[in-house]
Amino acid sequence: MKNNQKHNRAVIRRVPLATIVKAKNGDNTAFEKILRHYQGYMLKLSQFELYDASGTVYTCFDEELYQELQFKLVKAILDRFELR
């Protein structure tokens, strides 16, 4: 096996620290970038399944939960994120 072969590794994309610092300082564009970064994850968390009487599965979306997740992310950046 060659050393230069690619291995199955997950690519982790992170929000740049500079973007977080800008958001912490109140930059709305930075907040939008962060929310867009986590949008797919929050949308997935906001889905749930419903079953009807015949057992058919319906995937539904909870808009209130999605908005709550966005709010908590913004609040965590403003309140908890500390720069040292």
Side-chain angles (χ1 to χ4, degrees), residues 15-36 73-75 77-78 83:
V15 177
L17 183 61
T19 304
I20 296 171
V21 171
K22 288 178 184 177
K24 176 76 175 169
N25 292 327
D27 184 356
N28 288 335
T29 306
F31 274 119
E32 290 174 12
K33 286 181 183 179
I34 294 170
L35 289 172
R36 258 186 275 121
L73 178 59
V74 170
K75 186 166 174 34
I77 291 169
L78 292 174
L83 303 172

Side-chain angles (χ1 to χ4, degrees), residues 27-83:
D27 184 356
N28 288 335
T29 306
F31 274 119
E32 290 174 12
K33 286 181 183 179
I34 294 170
L35 289 172
R36 258 186 275 121
H37 179 82
Y38 289 105
Q39 182 178 24
Y41 180 62
M42 291 186 292
L43 286 171
K44 185 69 176 170
L45 290 174
S46 301
Q47 290 180 351
F48 61 96
E49 293 179 347
L50 289 178
Y51 299 87
D52 65 8
S54 65
T56 305
V57 181
Y58 298 94
T59 302
C60 301
F61 174 72
D62 187 345
E63 179 70 31
E64 289 181 24
L65 177 58
Y66 179 71
Q67 290 176 358
E68 183 70 21
L69 290 170
Q70 287 181 318
F71 173 76
K72 286 187 177 192
L73 178 59
V74 170
K75 186 166 174 34
I77 291 169
L78 292 174
D79 294 347
R80 294 187 192 179
F81 189 79
E82 294 182 21
L83 303 172

